Amino acid sequence: MNSYGDSSSPRARAQIPGQHGDPGGDASGSGWSAAQEGTAPAGRASVAPRAATGGRASVGGSAAVPTRGGSASGSASAAVPPRAGSAAGAASVGSASVGRAGPGRASVPAPGAGRAGAGRASVPVSPAAGGSAGRASVGSASVGTASAGRASVGSAAVGGVSGRASARASVSGGPGGPGGPTGPGRRGRGAGDPAGSARAKKRKRVNMLIASFAVFIMLAGLGVVGFTYYSTNVVLPEDTTPPQATTLYAFDNKTIIAKVGEQNRTLVTIDQIPQHVQDAVAAAEDRNFYEHSGVDYKGIVRAAWNNVSGGSKQGASTITQQYARNAFDNLKDDTYARKVKEAILASKLNDEYTKPQIMQHYLNIIYFGRGAHGIEAAAGTYFGKSASKLTVAEGAVLAALIKQPEAGAGHRGYDPAVNPTDAKSRWEYVIGGMVAEGWLNAPGKPPAPTVAEYPTKTLKKPNQAGAGLDYGVNTPYGNVINYVKQEMRDKGICVDSQEQVTDDKPLCSQALMSGGYRIRTTIDKNIQAAAVETAQRKSKGSELSDQPKNIMAAVVAIEPKTGRVLAYYGGDNGTGTDYAGKNTDSAGNVTGGHPPGSSFKIYTLAAALKEGKALESRWKGKAFTPKGTKFKVSNAGVDNPECGNSCTLTVSTLKSLNVPFYHVSEDIGPDKVVDMAAKAGVSMMWRSDTNPPKGYDLTKTDPKDIAPSPFFHVVGYGQYPITVLDHANGVATFANQGRYNKAHFLYSVEKRDEVTGKWKKIADEGQLKGEQRIDRGVVADVTSVLEQYPARVNHKLDDGRKAASKTGTWELKANSDDNGDAWMIGYTPQIATAVWVGNVDARKPLRLTNGNKVGGSNLPGDIWERFMDKAHKGKEKADFPPAANVGDPNTGNGEAPPPPPPPTNPPDCGPLGLLCPPGGNNGGNNGGGNNGGGNTPGGPTAPTNPIEPRPGGGGGLLPSTSPRPGDD
């Protein structure tokens, strides 16, 4: 029998060639062996690998082979047949082993029948250093030669690793015999093959080096594993909370308007994840999840064999290992060191947490594609619902995604919208696994859905705009997000300094991106939709859809009684210019205002009434050059209006005359006008004689410190820029009878409790008390004038709904006939709205597609009317309080009204007076009631349609020189 080793232990082979009378023999081994020499005084035994037929000789004994600094001892006995029938002989048998060898025995069959029973030969192996050489006593043997035998060397301990060694021996009776130099011995070696002996020794030395290196590697590996296990500081899941997205909702608290964050993720607790969803994930990723200890060793062996045998690469990662890999940053590389550490972490996590807890952590962190991280985000992204509402079929779809949610180099992924065939096939695999494991179709378990129940109908299509981190940022809601960030800072939800950071108060720069907040905004989804559909250029059928590309619009609507911003359109995204609010340029300058023109006169009118002037007070209206200045104040090119120098404030407002309001500012002081605007809600105003315009915070500045310098008397008719948001806030104060509520976007902020999983409110808009900043009588009188305006500019609201409004424009540049800004502001008791129309980038002439100039009463007015009609659908009609008629009509610098013309013979108008022309004693009521010069018959009459003489010109003229030479 030819044996080459045992599967569980190293083997040593011994070959002892020799010739009768040789002084010694040679032993060679392979595997874990070293060679030693032994001597015999007589005879030579060659132990060949094969046994001839005939008798049998047995050799047994033990051997001691020294290792490093050690020794081995043993004895051997052999029955060796004499050469050519001789009865006696001597043999020296060498033995090789590493470590310690137990007794072994060799049986050597001899030629001829029967056993070699005539005698026994005792053959000692090489002694330890310093020991005496052994002697072999050879007895008699039956006729024949022993051509082959087998020596078995007992177990050996190699560096702490035990095994078994076997040796082969060939015993020959002499040259020419079966074991001789020319016989069928091992590779034909014998006394005449010195090269073979040298090769054997060299091979033994190489094997010894290899064995030593293997032992070193094995010990080093065990050391690394052990050290890693006992030294690894496992960071627990509660210390590695993954980043969560912040979700912003409309005021209905259901409609998601934006979601921002480093990752689209919302954490949920295990009780919010149905058991069938958990089981589906286990069926897809780790069917032994509920049994193993964090690492599936059978799976590792199976995957290793598959990888080595050329199959597809497998990782055998359990759900626990996958969680560890995704949760810890240092487990991202694909190395064996990572796999070892991953397994260690998985084992420790399995010791620390229950299976449901591990499943919870896993489902909160794993990626499902379409930008959705975690089961809650995935449920919303793919099915538009919470994870708690997922059906068995839907849960299996999400579980099937985990393997490869998105297309890669070798596979299209398992998104049903991208790769429906493979996605459905893997879904069937998941359902099949759930059935096989008894998680479906078993007592107390849900029934398995059929293929026909694959949730095609409820599956949402991919929406790039709604996936990932910036959902909402690149929409008109993007500017709402910016305001929410600021309000979170103002409410102390977050901080700006690292030193102030606590568990409850993150940095404001990171709060929305990773805080996982649930924010309810003040935005009304229907009113917001009306603003976008009306003013956004790319909205089909909007007022701007067919207008020149340079024209831009902005719309802001506020609820007067609360200050809640109902709609905000300042641009198409939150990363570009906000045309309705403030912006900061690259140099840190705050910009964003637009000259409001005549729409600002509502504040000048209110300031005049507050200072004791009356609506019927009269003011000069003819153009003039103010003392100490070089510019001319005119009425949009009209030097001498109908009312001349006897224009009431009512007429001046309705006709958008500039001169009377300049005189009002001179009379009461421009600081009073600035103060009134600030009280109403204008928080910032920019001077227009610097580049870039310099802004002033009206909430922190005494008006006397900034007026008349830099804000000169031209403030009375709207030269200085303000934002659309501020203007809407000011208008809302008038709609609320002078009671101010700060415009805001944030209704409430909630954060999920990490233990209970329930949402906890951490901030809200607070108790809205409001502040009475403007006298009710003053506001009532202003409203009594402004409610006449919609009809005069052909922008009455539907169904006779009462509204107050005012237009305004500002010219493109000094002495220009074109406009650069156009406004329409207005309000009902329920909604206050400001609309601005201007340029997208550089200031260019505002002209409509038909070539007409843009004025407050055309494009802005169209937007305002259409939006207000949509925004008021379903709301009850409400009325304004009557005029209070505050102030003294005899104030003002205007002239007294001309006396009535002397009576004349009345014309013959017929029996019923039907033959007389209209007008008569109405005093111009066709032009707006008592505003065309009062109730005095024959007084100046207002035109039926008091649109500015040139479109937008009512906003005033930009002085060609500095209003006050020498002012900064």
Side-chain angles (χ1 to χ4, degrees):
M1 178 178 178
N2 192 10
S3 177
Y4 289 95
D6 187 275
S7 62
S8 62
S9 62
R11 286 184 179 274
R13 298 192 184 96
Q15 187 177 31
I16 314 174
Q19 190 171 351
H20 184 74
D22 285 351
D26 177 68
S28 65
S30 64
W32 302 83
S33 63
Q36 301 291 338
E37 286 187 359
T39 59
R44 181 177 182 84
S46 175
V47 183
R50 299 182 182 275
T53 59
R56 183 175 184 85
S58 64
V59 181
S62 62
V65 183
T67 58
R68 295 184 182 179
S71 63
S73 63
S75 64
S77 65
V80 185
R83 185 180 175 189
S86 300
S92 173
V93 181
S95 175
S97 181
V98 178
R100 179 174 298 276
R105 192 159 191 85
S107 296
V108 185
R115 286 188 172 274
R120 294 183 67 83
S122 176
V123 186
V125 297
S126 300
S132 60
R135 175 171 296 277
S137 60
V138 182
S140 62
S142 61
V143 177
T145 60
S147 62
R150 181 179 180 93
S152 176
V153 182
S155 62
V158 184
V161 180
S162 64
R164 293 188 61 81
S166 64
R168 290 179 179 276
S170 175
V171 182
S172 174
T182 60
R186 185 173 178 83
R187 297 185 184 177
R189 295 179 193 155
D193 188 16
S197 177
R199 286 194 299 271
K201 290 182 179 181
K202 182 177 180 181
R203 184 167 58 251
K204 282 182 277 188
R205 288 193 296 269
V206 171
N207 289 339
M208 194 157 120
L209 289 174
I210 292 174
S212 300
F213 182 72
V215 171
F216 171 77
I217 293 298
M218 184 179 297
L219 292 175
L222 291 173
V224 168
V225 171
F227 176 79
T228 303
Y229 184 86
Y230 290 106
S231 65
T232 298
N233 180 22
V234 178
V235 181
L236 302 180
E238 57 262 28
D239 298 323
T240 59
T241 303
Q244 301 180 69
T246 292
T247 306
L248 283 77
Y249 293 83
F251 189 69
D252 62 10
N253 211 24
K254 295 179 181 179
T255 305
I256 298 177
I257 63 174
K259 181 173 280 192
V260 293
E262 296 176 10
Q263 295 177 351
N264 179 12
R265 175 187 286 109
T266 299
L267 298 182
V268 290
T269 53
I270 195 65
D271 61 314
Q272 296 169 310
I273 307 172
Q275 185 62 48
H276 58 258
V277 175
Q278 302 176 43
D279 293 339
V281 172
E285 296 298 310
D286 183 5
R287 296 187 181 179
N288 295 324
F289 171 72
Y290 297 110
E291 284 78 34
H292 61 62
S293 59
V295 180
D296 188 355
Y297 295 102
K298 290 182 180 179
I300 291 176
V301 172
R302 182 175 61 253
W305 172 253
N306 189 74
N307 296 342
V308 170
S309 62
S312 61
K313 187 175 181 181
Q314 296 181 4
S317 291
T318 65
I319 281 176
T320 315
Q321 288 174 273
Q322 290 184 53
Y323 166 73
R325 185 188 315 144
N326 284 275
F328 302 102
D329 291 336
N330 59 350
L331 293 180
K332 303 300 183 186
D333 56 320
D334 188 17
T335 64
Y336 286 106
R338 187 269 294 170
K339 294 179 185 296
V340 170
K341 194 167 186 179
E342 176 186 294
I344 292 170
L345 285 171
S347 296
K348 287 199 168 185
L349 288 170
N350 193 78
D351 294 341
E352 186 72 23
Y353 296 97
T354 64
K355 291 294 183 179
Q357 288 174 317
I358 292 173
M359 180 64 78
Q360 171 183 307
H361 296 314
Y362 174 76
L363 287 178
N364 274 323
I365 201 169
I366 205 70
Y367 183 59
F368 288 87
R370 297 192 189 180
H373 294 259
I375 190 68
E376 182 71 5
T381 299
Y382 286 89
F383 296 104
K385 60 175 66 174
S386 173
S388 63
K389 305 296 183 182
L390 290 170
T391 66
V392 173
E394 291 168 344
V397 169
L398 298 184
L401 284 163
I402 297 175
K403 183 177 182 181
Q404 187 173 338
E406 295 174 343
H411 195 273
R412 295 176 62 198
Y414 294 100
D415 188 328
V418 178
N419 189 7
T421 302
D422 287 353
K424 193 170 186 178
S425 176
R426 183 150 180 83
W427 178 84
E428 293 174 353
Y429 166 80
V430 173
I431 296 297
M434 296 177 73
V435 173
E437 296 295 330
W439 298 330
L440 294 177
N441 289 348
K445 299 292 184 180
T450 64
V451 175
E453 294 176 282
Y454 187 75
T456 307
K457 294 181 179 180
T458 58
L459 188 66
K460 297 176 65 176
K461 294 181 179 180
N463 180 5
Q464 193 62 36
L469 313 181
D470 60 353
Y471 170 43
V473 175
N474 290 326
T475 72
Y477 286 116
N479 288 312
V480 175
I481 298 172
N482 295 333
Y483 283 103
V484 167
K485 288 180 182 179
Q486 180 60 47
E487 291 183 33
M488 290 180 68
R489 175 184 287 107
D490 295 341
K491 288 184 175 294
I493 298 173
C494 58
V495 294
D496 288 321
S497 172
Q498 183 67 48
E499 291 74 19
Q500 298 174 307
V501 172
T502 66
D503 291 340
D504 297 327
K505 293 187 177 184
L507 283 173
C508 289
S509 59
Q510 302 173 4
L512 282 185
M513 297 300 289
S514 60
Y517 298 103
R518 179 187 176 103
I519 297 176
R520 183 181 180 185
T521 69
T522 62
I523 298 295
D524 184 299
K525 67 174 184 177
N526 295 324
I527 298 178
Q528 173 72 17
V532 173
E533 292 167 4
T534 305
Q536 185 184 42
R537 173 179 299 282
K538 64 182 181 181
S539 293
K540 186 177 181 180
S542 75
E543 297 297 331
L544 265 70
S545 61
D546 59 350
Q547 297 300 333
K549 302 298 184 183
N550 67 298
I551 297 179
M552 177 68 194
V555 179
V556 178
I558 296 174
E559 185 176 67
K561 294 186 182 300
T562 62
R564 295 170 186 162
V565 178
L566 304 175
Y568 189 96
Y569 177 69
D572 291 337
N573 61 71
T575 59
T577 301
D578 180 359
Y579 292 94
K582 300 173 185 176
N583 298 275
T584 303
D585 63 18
S586 58
N589 301 303
V590 179
T591 62
H594 314 288
S598 289
S599 67
F600 195 81
K601 291 172 182 175
I602 65 171
Y603 307 118
T604 311
L605 177 59
L609 298 176
K610 180 177 181 293
E611 295 302 314
K613 315 305 177 184
L615 291 177
E616 299 311 311
S617 60
R618 295 183 178 271
W619 302 81
K620 293 179 179 180
K622 295 180 180 180
F624 77 109
T625 299
K627 185 178 180 180
T629 68
K630 296 182 180 180
F631 67 91
K632 180 181 179 181
V633 180
S634 184
N635 300 301
V638 179
D639 288 344
N640 188 10
E642 278 188 86
C643 55
N645 280 334
S646 185
C647 303
T648 64
L649 289 180
T650 298
V651 171
S652 300
T653 303
L654 294 174
K655 289 189 174 183
S656 288
L657 301 178
N658 296 329
V659 175
F661 284 97
Y662 187 94
H663 287 303
V664 168
S665 176
E666 283 187 316
D667 187 286
I668 65 174
D671 59 304
K672 299 294 195 301
V673 178
V674 173
D675 183 57
M676 180 57 69
K679 280 182 167 62
V682 177
S683 65
M684 197 162 192
M685 186 180 292
W686 285 261
R687 63 191 300 175
S688 53
D689 58 344
T690 60
N691 188 20
K694 181 180 179 180
Y696 292 82
D697 188 341
L698 303 187
T699 66
K700 299 178 180 179
T701 307
D702 188 334
K704 292 185 175 62
D705 295 336
I706 53 177
S709 177
F711 299 124
F712 194 53
H713 298 297
V714 289
V715 72
Y717 50 83
Q719 173 175 310
Y720 303 108
I722 61 175
T723 67
V724 183
L725 175 62
D726 277 357
H727 212 355
N729 203 170
V731 173
T733 301
F734 282 87
N736 198 34
Q737 301 179 47
R739 193 171 188 83
Y740 165 81
N741 286 294
K742 183 177 181 181
H744 59 280
F745 295 80
L746 194 153
Y747 180 78
S748 66
V749 180
E750 296 176 307
K751 191 171 179 64
R752 190 186 291 274
D753 187 292
E754 295 181 2
V755 177
T756 66
K758 298 185 181 299
W759 290 100
K760 180 174 62 177
K761 185 179 293 186
I762 61 174
D764 56 30
E765 65 180 357
Q767 187 174 358
L768 299 175
K769 297 180 180 179
E771 180 183 353
Q772 192 70 41
R773 291 188 172 184
I774 308 173
D775 182 78
R776 288 175 178 268
V778 168
V779 174
D781 281 0
V782 172
T783 301
S784 71
V785 176
L786 299 184
E787 68 178 321
Q788 301 176 52
Y789 208 79
R792 298 173 69 87
V793 291
N794 298 320
H795 287 301
K796 294 175 63 176
L797 298 185
D798 288 345
D799 302 324
R801 185 184 298 275
K802 287 192 176 182
S805 67
K806 182 70 183 78
T807 59
T809 54
W810 198 261
E811 59 200 2
L812 181 68
K813 56 185 177 180
N815 300 321
S816 172
D817 288 334
D818 285 300
N819 296 320
D821 301 274
W823 296 73
M824 178 81 163
I825 62 169
Y827 54 92
T828 66
Q830 296 109 322
I831 301 175
T833 302
V835 175
W836 166 86
V837 171
N839 282 280
V840 174
D841 294 311
R843 286 174 69 84
K844 297 179 180 179
L846 295 179
R847 290 185 177 271
L848 302 174
T849 302
N850 60 13
N852 292 340
K853 298 175 183 178
V854 174
S857 61
N858 47 39
L859 184 56
D862 293 341
I863 294 173
W864 182 86
E865 179 187 348
R866 179 174 166 184
F867 167 76
M868 290 289 276
D869 281 336
K870 287 187 174 183
H872 282 86
K873 281 188 176 180
K875 296 184 182 296
E876 295 181 357
K877 294 179 183 179
D879 204 351
F880 298 110
N885 297 314
V886 301
D888 183 0
N890 297 317
T891 55
N893 67 349
E895 300 172 355
T904 59
N905 294 327
D908 185 5
C909 298
L912 300 177
L914 300 177
L915 302 179
C916 291
N921 294 330
N922 291 332
N925 284 341
N926 290 336
N930 63 358
N931 301 314
N935 291 324
T936 305
T941 60
T944 57
N945 187 7
I947 299 176
E948 294 89 351
R950 58 184 178 83
L957 298 175
L958 183 67
S960 58
T961 58
S962 176
R964 296 192 64 182
D967 288 347
D968 293 331

